[in-house]
Amino acid sequence: MAGLALANIRARGARNLGLAALVAIFSALLFGGSVIDARLSQGLESLSARLGADVLIVPYGYERTAKAALLRGEPSTYHMPAEVLGRVRSFPGVAQASPQFFLASLATACCSERVQIIAYDQQSDFLVRPWISAKAPPTLGEGQIVAGSKLNVEVGGELFFFGVVHEVVAKMEPTGMGLDTSVFLPLESVYRLVGNIPALKEELPDPSGYISAVAVKVEPGLRPKDVANGIMREHAIEFNLDLVLPDAIVTETARELAGWASTVRRLALAMWLVAFLALALVFSVAIGERRREFGIYRLIGATRSWLGRLILAEALFLSLAGGLAGILLASLAIFPFDALIFNSLGLPNLPAGPGAVARAAAVALALAMVIAPLACLRTVLSVTRSEVQPSLRMEA
Amino acid sequence: MTNNKLNCVLCLLAGLLYIMVPHYLLPVCEFASAGSSQPHGDSGPEMAAHDGAGGMSPAHAVCFYTARAELGLGLLIVMGAILLAFPGSAGYRAGILALEAGAAVIGALFPTVLIGVCQSQRMPCRAGTLPALIILSSLFFAFSAIASARSRKG
């Protein structure tokens, strides 16, 4: 029967190609959307696990810049007086405060990439160190750096910034965030680097008097927002400060992700319905065309249930072909171009793993496989109830 | 549409794609940055050359030359498509299609082995142009090799 069903599908090639294409669009949409969703969900988990600070104090007007650097690794340079650190540390409710200095490297040609240089204080740091490989030396020396996981350099390799060659002594674990394309070095090293940058040298004659941000951990039991508001009330005007609440970034990103997933689900549902209705219509029209053919099958001994099973087999093959084609096409569009897609989405993301991909494929294929068999049920019932002779007479 | 006309049209389309992909559709870095004013946040301090994470700073990046090579290859494939439009024996058509299959292999070798693209995953040439050219070359090779074999059989 399978051979006959396939031959029947081939005999009406153009029409069946169109029907399979509808199923393919549905499965491509569902599979592609699910894979992207799984990858973004992994990124969100990493984001909430790795934003170790409760509050980030930055210069006024740099809140968005700091978020862009954190989420997408968009390089930026900004600074504020280092005096802010002392004021924040002594503020009631602050358990830990660690300074950071952000410096953007330059891309001087197409193949030289701008990266965010993040300098951290090795004594007070509680953000960077936990995510550096255990193989890294406990403290970084002069000229030693830690590279983000996506930077194209291996441990033991060298990176050249601002006239100084730096040795990569460790790589960060993948975070799915902008940290993956940043490099990390001690504060003292970046202060020496600033001396090599004519524009900054003029602006910051004593670089050690400046920092870019203060990462704050509040004491247990206190609300970060309350402590942050207190710091702002006391020092925002004097030092021209702004703040970033990492929890708010997680909530905002989760909201964006939920909106995205909901749109994908709605589109997939709409496509499922369109495919179902189109197939149901085509099957019900086709029954009229094929009455003579079914009559002949009956004359040569086919039972009515056999006819029903033949139509079901044809529908199943159509769905299978469409479902597999959709998954294949979505795979071709997503996996080779994942860097392009996720760079443009600008949301934290981490590879979803083969299990999640296999699950997405199984769900998309299963839902695609039921479209045509369900759509042809009415036709199957009609055929199994009809008689051969009337069918033949009608055609005659 | 006869098989020969279909082969001719598909070869023409593939040739145009080899030209369009690295220049317009998924352009290499130099053409991508020429076409957009990508924001970089706050500007970094002005510095001398050779700064960054990725290598040397030649007059043109390596991906620029890959794009130029694909342009030449695309023109050759288009010429092959035009030759397919002329009447000829089965052997003549099979030969041209075999050459097109060879061109597809070279189309994939330019960005991967012979010339290359930028190293960073974030560069448009590596993230977009490279996979697009590999997929295009794979599909075009499969098509032209099968079409050549079928043409030989007549």
Side-chain angles (χ1 to χ4, degrees), chain A residues 77 106 110-113 162, chain B residues 42 47 50-51 118 122-123:
Chain A
T77 302
L106 277 194
C110 155
C111 276
S112 125
E113 185 183 15
F162 302 114
Chain B
D42 211 36
M47 255 305 292
H50 299 293
D51 185 37
C118 300
R122 296 206 304 173
M123 295 295 191

Side-chain angles (χ1 to χ4, degrees), chain B residues 15-33:
Chain B
L16 292 177
L17 280 175
Y18 273 109
I19 297 167
M20 304 278 284
V21 165
H23 290 88
Y24 305 106
L25 299 179
L26 288 163
V28 295
C29 308
E30 201 157 321
F31 300 117
S33 57

Side-chain angles (χ1 to χ4, degrees), chain A residues 62 72-73 75-77 104-106 108-115 152 159-162 181 196-197 332 336-337 339-340 343, chain B residues 26 29 40 42 44-55 57 61-63 118-123 127-128 131-132 135:
Chain A
Y62 285 93
R72 295 184 287 278
S76 51
T77 302
S105 81
L106 277 194
T108 51
C110 155
C111 276
S112 125
E113 185 183 15
R114 273 165 63 96
V115 298
N152 193 36
L159 286 181
F160 195 56
F161 294 116
F162 302 114
T181 50
N196 293 347
I197 308 167
L332 272 180
F337 296 101
L340 192 70
N343 286 350
Chain B
L26 288 163
C29 308
H40 286 302
D42 211 36
E46 293 303 319
M47 255 305 292
H50 299 293
D51 185 37
S57 55
V62 66
C63 57
C118 300
Q119 291 186 344
S120 168
Q121 296 245 334
R122 296 206 304 173
M123 295 295 191
I135 291 172

Side-chain angles (χ1 to χ4, degrees), chain A residues 97-317:
Chain A
S98 182
Q100 294 191 332
F101 194 104
F102 300 147
L103 189 62
S105 81
L106 277 194
T108 51
C110 155
C111 276
S112 125
E113 185 183 15
R114 273 165 63 96
V115 298
Q116 177 73 64
I117 297 169
I118 300 177
Y120 63 100
D121 176 33
Q122 299 197 85
Q123 274 78 48
S124 61
D125 170 67
F126 58 92
L127 282 181
V128 179
R129 190 70 219 180
W131 305 111
I132 299 176
S133 151
K135 290 175 192 161
T139 53
L140 301 186
E142 178 62 25
Q144 292 186 323
I145 58 170
V146 172
S149 64
K150 278 190 187 166
L151 287 183
N152 193 36
V153 62
E154 294 307 318
V155 174
E158 290 176 342
L159 286 181
F160 195 56
F161 294 116
F162 302 114
V164 179
V165 176
H166 293 86
E167 183 199 356
V168 178
V169 292
K171 290 197 83 168
M172 283 273 270
E173 288 173 24
T175 64
M177 298 186 283
L179 302 181
D180 290 345
T181 50
S182 304
V183 297
F184 304 85
L185 70 172
L187 265 181
E188 304 77 43
S189 301
V190 92
Y191 289 148
R192 270 189 286 275
L193 270 188
V194 168
N196 293 347
I197 308 167
L200 271 184
K201 204 174 167 182
E202 261 177 46
E203 200 180 334
L204 313 175
D206 174 20
S208 61
Y210 293 89
I211 53 175
S212 302
V214 181
V216 176
K217 224 176 189 23
V218 302
E219 281 171 3
L222 294 179
R223 283 177 56 198
K225 203 173 175 181
D226 295 340
V227 177
N229 285 339
I231 295 172
M232 287 293 112
R233 262 197 307 275
E234 289 278 319
H235 304 298
I237 294 173
E238 184 185 355
F239 293 106
N240 215 11
L241 301 180
D242 211 337
L243 63 89
V244 177
L245 290 170
D247 276 353
I249 297 181
V250 174
T251 313
E252 199 178 303
T253 309
R255 199 181 305 127
E256 273 184 61
L257 183 56
W260 196 89
S262 156
T263 307
V264 167
R265 274 195 294 272
R266 282 179 201 182
L267 276 175
L269 178 67
M271 199 55 229
W272 195 94
L273 286 173
V274 167
F276 174 79
L277 291 174
L279 263 74
L281 186 72
V282 170
F283 273 116
S284 67
V285 170
I287 185 75
E289 295 172 9
R290 300 180 67 183
R291 278 197 178 273
R292 183 182 168 81
E293 177 192 340
F294 293 146
I296 292 169
Y297 288 142
R298 289 283 279 139
L299 277 178
I300 57 176
T303 63
R304 281 180 288 180
S305 69
W306 186 90
L307 283 182
R309 286 204 304 278
L310 178 69
I311 295 170
L312 271 176
E314 288 175 20
L316 206 61
F317 280 130

Side-chain angles (χ1 to χ4, degrees), chain B:
Chain B
M1 194 183 277
T2 62
N3 269 349
N4 193 43
K5 274 185 188 165
L6 185 70
N7 292 343
C8 174
V9 168
L10 288 176
C11 285
L12 192 67
L13 187 69
L16 292 177
L17 280 175
Y18 273 109
I19 297 167
M20 304 278 284
V21 165
H23 290 88
Y24 305 106
L25 299 179
L26 288 163
V28 295
C29 308
E30 201 157 321
F31 300 117
S33 57
S36 71
S37 53
Q38 200 181 342
H40 286 302
D42 211 36
S43 60
E46 293 303 319
M47 255 305 292
H50 299 293
D51 185 37
M56 55 187 189
S57 55
H60 291 292
V62 66
C63 57
F64 171 85
Y65 298 104
T66 290
R68 282 289 184 258
E70 297 288 359
L71 171 71
L73 188 78
L75 288 173
L76 273 177
I77 292 172
V78 168
M79 279 177 67
I82 293 168
L83 289 175
L84 273 178
F86 292 109
S89 66
Y92 163 82
R93 284 196 297 272
I96 291 174
L97 285 163
L99 279 176
E100 299 282 44
V105 174
I106 295 170
L109 288 179
F110 279 147
T112 51
V113 179
L114 297 176
I115 302 176
V117 289
C118 300
Q119 291 186 344
S120 168
Q121 296 245 334
R122 296 206 304 173
M123 295 295 191
C125 61
R126 181 164 284 275
T129 321
L130 174 68
L133 285 174
I134 291 174
I135 291 172
L136 173 63
S137 295
S138 309
L139 293 175
F140 186 49
F141 175 78
F143 154 74
S144 45
I146 292 168
S148 173
R150 288 178 64 165
S151 291
R152 201 173 299 134
K153 284 178 191 165

